[in-house]
Amino acid sequence: MALPGRGRGAAAALLVTLALACAAPSSASDRDDAKSESSSTVLKPGESRNSPSTKSLPRATITPGSATRLSPYPSVSGVTEPNADEKLLVELINVERTTRGLKAVKWDGLLSGLARMHGADMRAVRKASHNSAEDGANFGTRLSRTPYRARAAAENVAYNADVVKAHRALMLSPGHRRNILDPVLTAVGTAVLTDTKDDWVWVVEDFATPMEHVSDDEAEQLMRESLSKARSRWSSLPEDKAISRKLDSLVEEMIESGTVRNAVGSGVGEGWTLAFTSLDPTQPPASAIERAAKAEGYALAVSFRKTSRYPFGAYWAILYLKGTY
């Protein structure tokens, strides 16, 4: 969006989910929530099956591998404290939310660091946009290039005479208003930069639903604990560590292929296997919880990764339950 005349401010809205459905900067925001996926296989003695997921793929506009290259912000660092205008913007956002019975968003330092860098980029080229002036990266791509883990994210940008007027303009726009009042979004990073040629301000609001940072080992433990609720003696079931190591390799292959597929062969013995993705390691698929009640043993491998399909990250996993199914 080109720099507007002094008579009115400019605002552009973009809503990005894990599937990264992107609207044009001048349009209202769009949303396309990504779903977790799964593919299961029943293994009988002597059988080997490959069962790709039959679920449709979520839309994405991230280039595979983009999380590690072409970053216009190679060293995004968190902000320790918002400045006065940025703090005011958070307060204005939360007044809108709490007066409508919604929970207040929490200020996030890393999101603010990303927002400030984009605000400086807009100011340098004097253009309100969601796209980087360096390589065209939109908000979803910019966020995917950081260590930040999120289930969903959204961005508002604006140029106006001051923070209050920018906020009012955003609230009058359906797309921006939706981002500000979205109950799913629980964190925000704000940036307010004064223009170099006048006293107007460039405003960026980066919203997200953050995911808790846990290691792969911790994620596996959380999944075990969730499955244990289905079977009181799950903790006493033996883990086949050799099969778990095999599953580790298969999970890496699954991530590289970008497809949720069950490629466990006959070498694991009789049982049931499930390949799946999850945004929350405490919530394995319902089918796994159901079958865990009859399990005689198990093997499990989990790896968190940002990919073209899940630019903000997801847990990729394969579970094997020993038994007759």
Side-chain angles (χ1 to χ4, degrees), residues 77-83 86 107-114 116 190:
S77 58
V79 176
T80 58
E81 186 177 356
N83 63 34
E86 293 165 349
W107 178 82
D108 188 289
L110 195 148
L111 289 176
S112 289
L114 191 65
R116 283 188 182 181
T190 53

Side-chain angles (χ1 to χ4, degrees), residues 1-5 8-12 127-128 157-161 166 169-170 176 200-203:
M1 181 180 294
L3 187 67
R8 57 185 301 183
K127 181 180 180 181
V157 301
Y159 174 76
N160 214 310
L170 292 171
H176 304 89
W200 279 36
V201 293
W202 298 90
V203 173

Side-chain angles (χ1 to χ4, degrees), residues 257-269:
S257 72
T259 303
V260 177
R261 56 193 178 96
N262 211 326
V264 180
S266 58
V268 299

